[in-house]
Amino acid sequence: MADGSSDAKTLDSNTDELKQLGNGETTELNGDVQEHVLRTGHEHHHNHEEDPTGGALFQINVRLPHEPYKIPVMVSSQEQVQDVRQSIVETPGTFQYTCFHLEHEGEKINDFIELSEVKGLQTGSELALFEDPYTEKEARMHVLRVRELIGAAGDRSDFLQGICAGMSLHDMVISQEDGSPTLQVNGKPVKVNALAGYNLKGAPSLQNVLPATEEIHPKTVKSLTVSPWNPPPYHLRQKGHLLYLQVTTNEGEQHQITSTVSGFFVNRSSNNKFDPFPRAAPKNHNAHSLLALLTLISPSFNDSFSALQAINNKKDLLTTFPFQNSLPSNPWVIPPLSNPLNQHQPDPTRAQEAYLFGGADGAESLRDWNEEFQTTRESPRATVPERVFRERLISKLFADYNDAAARGAALVARGEVPPLNPTEAHDAQIFVHNNIFFSFGADGVQTFASEGGDEAARVAVGKDVMGVKAVNQLDIPGLFTPGTIVVDYLGKRIVGQSIVPGIFKQREPGEHQIDYGAVDGIEVVAENKAFAPEFEKLSRELRVKRHAVWDKDGRRFDLEGSVQTKGLLGTDGRKYVLDLYRIAPLDIAWSEEVNSSMEQENNKYPHRMAILRLELVEAYRRSKIQQYVREEIEKRRAARKDDVANKENTKPVTNGEVSPEKLKEAEREESDIDQERVDLSSFEFALNPDVCSGQNPPTEQDKEAYAQDEKEVRAVCGYLRSKIIPELLQDLFDSEVGFPMDGRSLTLLLHKRGINVRYLGRIATLAAEKGRRLQALVALARQEMIARAFKHIANRNLRRLPPVFATACISHLLNCLLGDNVNPRPRAQIDEELRELYTADVSFERLDPVSLKSQVESEVQQRYRYRLPNDWVSSLKHFQMLRDLCLKLGLQLGARDFSFTKADMSTHEDHSPVQNGTLQANGKGHEDSKKKKKKNIDGHQRDNSPLNNAPILIFSPDDIINIVPIVKDAAPRSTLAEEALEAGRISLARNEKQLGQELVLESLSLHEQIYGILHPEVAKMYHQLSMLYYQTDEKDAAVELARKAVIVTERTLGVDSHDAILAYLNLSLFEHATNNTHAALVYVKHAMDVWNIIYGMDHPDSITTLNNAAVMLQNLKLYADSRKWFEASLSLCEDLFGRQSVHTATILFQLAQALALDHDSKAAVHRMREAYNIFLSELGANDRNTKEAESWLEQLTQNAVSIAKHAKDIQNRRFRRVQLTPRVTLGTRPQPQVGQTAAESGTRPETVRSIGLDSRSVDELLKFIEGGEASVSPSKKKRMPTRNPKLRHTRKTSTQ
């Protein structure tokens, strides 16, 4: 926050930056900070002196005018009245109410106040619901709501929200557990586990990420549309007529309905006669709600509507909950067009929805976005309720703006919006749509000519939206930013901004268009002193140094930010900050490296916009603070020792030695020094973002200052290369953090550590030097570089192409990259009629696999300084590469068996291979192909058999069903919710369980209030809280929250995202902990199926999953199945760590125990001997692990004849304790997030240190596996059967 809290100059305000010191000097200081945070957090979030409920949930009743006349509602005093309204609207028994107000004790309640402000409201209080008169807008919204409820709304075509947007597979996955088959064992039905017969080496199947075909929903009405008589004439509007509707019931009767201010009634109109007044009795049906009216005019409506509700109620509410504050995830693979889910249904009202949403003139959808943004930012925030209301408005406003801007950008990209300057070059054209200003992310006016042209402009707008997001997060009073969004669509990058008042204003002669910063490049600079205070705060937060710049005349300007960061005084009097793409310095080391390797022009780096990341600047600053604190403490120690020595020198001494008493006193004083605060007022750290950016200091003094600034920036660049990157590789090598699964998770991991994606080549090279253990990282880095190179090539080809050619272009490029095994000379499938219609450049059709792969290699070499191996094409994971490309380009493919070799193609009978040159456009491709004989280039007739030598294609334009925009927004996170969460974490770290849980729960409540339910931040909160409940033995609550985390993650981040996989794996663990192991195995199976799609079955972290599955199978007494999964874990562990590693020995030890339980004594002895030999070789004979293995080996050998007969002898032994990594486990354990340590995932440090392996005897373990009760004291609440013993004595903490 920018309210001054960051200005504190003592260590207790900066302790979070010293958490990694790990020494005793800051222990007491940390405690002071924690007490401060706890105290302020507790005051902020538990200030309920006037709240009789204390902020807890309580029940109130709502009295209704119709059946059921009264409903109970659970509320919290922190909620607003509109939350109660929303609960009423979404409750099945009160669906019909949309236009109403609430009263308490006869007084109308404002919808926007908190319930705590309603006088006398407490547990058991009653609110009364009163129906209000409709306005035209409310009537239209009511009709839309009823259409959705009764299933009358058909499918929609939407540029932004693609097909199956925001879907969840959770209900489909768990239904597999309910429908699993059973076997008769000893006369009793036994459910077959989900992993029975699972093929760990099977090929990925897209069916695992497709929604199930839904059962046919009953029709409640045949149609509900706007009547042809709508809108009402003038004289009837004055009588209260709002809308005219037309309903056709299931009985076949057509009714004309009038909507008035008092409700809805059936009128006397027909298709040929206009008479919008009520019918005569007994057909004079009327009701305040259209839903209630439908029950009166259609006898079958109630039954069909109840049946529809019954079907909807089978689904989890979260799976159908509408999006409010975030954009839904668009899946890259969707059901084919032949699937009922994709069938286009007739709906007369679909074309009328624009009217229903925005009114006759559409004016309701036009908003002054900039004024809304700035007014919301200026709203009060002195109290917690004000902050909640303000952040809630900000979150909703950003969501609305992002939605509107993304839709507008898609229209601009498709050429549907006329430019304001049509005479300018295409890239220089600007647009205004829906009060949003759009421009292309290209160098249309030569602003970046010296920086790399279009490439530099494209990077700059991406950096700008990140800079705007950082400034929005800081929330500095008095400094404003325009609403900003970047959209990638059809090869074009489009920037959408709210219109800043005065940005188009023509200034007087001599006045600059910009008030602060560079006006025209760096040749002209403006410096309005009024901007200095706000820019000073901004620069202090962003670690930007106040520095001098010079214009073309040599005049000096001392700016608070980069010269490229501009300030504009709007005509509304507000100070706006623009062009935030240079808030961090250039990566000088990278620029010098690429400049020194430019032997050829085609090897030149595309631009000069290689900027360091803010995460790196913060990481370096933390390291400097740590160094400063150590130096200060050493100075104090040295000064104290000198004082003691000087005092002793003034007194007689014996043999020149200081007395023991004085030494002890000095040690005590030294300890007191360690506990003191370290004053940070003299610590300074800031960087000059304009270093090496064309500034020419005129004097020697200025040159020296710039040289020092350059030295500091170089130190940061060196820190990235010498510290950050090696530490990341070492953490992954040592299994200290979760391993990335795909390109997206790898990118997030790099960005979290402050590493730019341009270092992928360096990371791949260094990882390859570490050997087999990081081979997975090398493969991921190569795949990501190739996918990004392909994206740039595709964008260049799409950029000037009419939208109708987009699918032909992309499918041809995909065939060239992924289909050369099937067809080495693919031909683009372009409709000749469209070719003749457009004068478009379709040069993409000249690309072939050889030229495309040459371009990919060149792109990778230029952008990442990495030379792909000669066999990179054959080493591609085609399936995973296809997924990455679709996600990067926004493609939605129709699901089918994509075969990347001729052998695979021959096994897929439903492949329907596409022939070279098939024309499929204008909707005529399929029909025309049936009438005409296809011919080869030489005119010979084609044979459609996929097994002959006729050229066939993997991808056709018809495979690409839709292309959706890729959106990058600048929405900030909620600081209030994060403060509550951090306070809760600190309380839990101090073992204040009750207070910590209260704060974390309050943080969850704030997350839900501010973000809404469906938001990635809420999904993350559900995950963290579920882990907390699991660790505190509240497993039922953990399961419920983990289930919510799964659904929200799927709907906001994707059903096959790495986050969704981890959410499913942890949900399986929690289900197993509640003895619902069959359901847990279903979740494990689904997670592994999805894992196989995005990476493969040999991911390093899957060792944990295989072990968890094996333990769960043991719990079901399926010992034979269990040992198969242990063996699979062993195979992967050997491949990753080597045969002679301690990790492999750990798995061998566990496998030997599993074999003993399966009564395979010979194999058990063999595996235990192998484990013992490895421990002996690697750790020595005196190591605890070696001794335990030796003891087990001795016992197993003695009882090799019959383990069952001598089980009691073995039962005297205990399970070995062993130090494990995240990938080698005994028992089930939570799966860490990508790039996250166990401590970061929510595990308390003391828990990690104290928990060992399962310390029960074999007797107890056998009793547990066979369904008996282990002898555990209830007071201790042991969780060992389902808890992974993560014993890590030397764990590193990853850089945040």
Side-chain angles (χ1 to χ4, degrees), residues 735-754:
S735 309
E736 289 293 329
V737 295
F739 209 92
M741 299 182 188
D742 60 355
R744 183 176 291 181
S745 58
L746 175 60
T747 301
L748 291 175
L749 174 59
L750 297 183
H751 287 172
K752 181 181 179 182
R753 296 292 185 105

Side-chain angles (χ1 to χ4, degrees), residues 8 281 314 392 416 422 447 463 507 527 705 748 756 812 961 983 1024 1079 1160 1165 1197 1216 1279 1282:
K314 294 178 182 178
R392 188 172 183 172
E416 306 287 350
T447 303
K463 296 289 184 183
R507 302 289 181 107
E527 185 183 14
L748 291 175
N756 300 88
H812 179 64
I961 298 178
Q1024 293 173 342
D1160 190 346
V1165 170
T1197 303
R1216 178 184 63 90
R1279 299 190 304 274
T1282 57

Side-chain angles (χ1 to χ4, degrees), residues 384-403:
V384 171
E386 289 176 347
R387 290 181 66 187
V388 172
F389 184 65
R390 178 177 181 271
E391 293 191 3
R392 188 172 183 172
L393 285 179
I394 289 175
S395 178
K396 179 61 176 172
L397 180 57
F398 269 99
D400 291 347
Y401 173 78
N402 293 340
D403 184 271

Side-chain angles (χ1 to χ4, degrees), residues 85 88-89 97-102 111 129-132 288:
R85 285 182 56 98
I88 295 171
V89 170
Y97 299 108
T98 62
C99 184
F100 61 90
H101 71 269
L102 297 174
D111 289 342
L129 184 150
F130 289 90
E131 296 170 333
D132 284 338
H288 186 268

Side-chain angles (χ1 to χ4, degrees), residues 147 223-228 244-247 347-349 352:
R147 275 173 48 81
S223 69
L224 171 58
T225 66
V226 177
S227 170
Y244 298 134
L245 307 174
Q246 182 174 294
V247 176
D347 181 12
T349 313
Q352 302 168 345

Side-chain angles (χ1 to χ4, degrees), residues 830-850:
I830 303 175
D831 182 18
E832 293 303 327
E833 292 183 11
L834 292 177
R835 189 198 295 266
E836 294 173 2
L837 184 63
Y838 289 90
T839 58
D841 177 14
V842 290
S843 56
F844 68 86
E845 66 178 340
R846 295 195 292 270
L847 283 173
D848 58 22
V850 175

Side-chain angles (χ1 to χ4, degrees), residues 847-1008:
L847 283 173
D848 58 22
V850 175
S851 60
L852 177 66
K853 288 165 186 174
S854 175
Q855 289 188 27
V856 169
E857 292 172 356
S858 176
E859 286 284 334
V860 171
Q861 177 65 29
Q862 287 179 29
R863 296 179 183 276
Y864 307 105
R865 303 289 124 175
Y866 184 78
R867 189 176 300 278
L868 292 171
N870 295 330
D871 63 342
W872 70 269
V873 176
S874 60
S875 63
L876 278 180
K877 292 182 176 179
H878 293 87
F879 213 91
Q880 286 73 25
M881 178 61 70
L882 176 62
R883 174 182 177 272
D884 273 0
L885 297 178
C886 290
L887 292 176
K888 285 177 169 54
L889 295 172
L891 308 182
Q892 289 192 300
L893 301 185
R896 62 177 175 84
D897 290 319
F898 293 103
S899 304
F900 299 99
T901 65
K902 290 184 178 179
D904 290 341
M905 189 168 290
S906 64
T907 62
H908 294 154
E909 298 178 358
D910 61 339
H911 179 75
S912 301
V914 181
Q915 304 297 325
N916 259 346
T918 303
L919 307 183
Q920 307 203 28
N922 270 351
K924 302 177 181 178
H926 293 297
E927 291 78 1
D928 292 348
S929 64
K930 295 177 182 178
K931 300 175 182 179
K932 301 176 182 179
K933 293 184 178 179
K934 301 182 180 70
K935 295 185 177 181
N936 280 326
I937 300 175
D938 56 4
H940 294 293
Q941 183 175 338
R942 287 202 184 112
D943 184 351
N944 287 332
S945 172
L947 298 177
N948 65 2
N949 295 325
I952 52 180
L953 302 175
I954 297 178
F955 302 98
S956 75
D958 287 344
D959 286 325
I960 304 172
I961 298 178
N962 190 28
I963 303 177
V964 295
I966 306 298
V967 179
K968 300 178 182 178
D969 63 63
R973 302 184 310 276
S974 167
T975 54
L976 181 61
E978 291 184 352
E979 286 172 9
L981 178 59
E982 184 62 23
R985 285 174 173 168
I986 294 175
S987 296
L988 294 172
R990 295 169 60 89
N991 287 326
E992 298 174 355
K993 178 179 175 181
Q994 183 176 357
L995 175 61
Q997 286 188 344
E998 288 179 4
L999 289 170
V1000 172
L1001 282 172
E1002 191 152 2
S1003 176
L1004 174 61
S1005 175
L1006 290 171
H1007 273 82
E1008 291 178 336

Side-chain angles (χ1 to χ4, degrees), residues 467-488:
V468 173
K469 188 169 188 173
V471 175
N472 289 340
Q473 190 64 45
L474 294 174
D475 203 9
I476 298 174
L479 192 63
F480 301 91
T481 59
T484 306
I485 191 173
V486 170
V487 178
D488 292 328

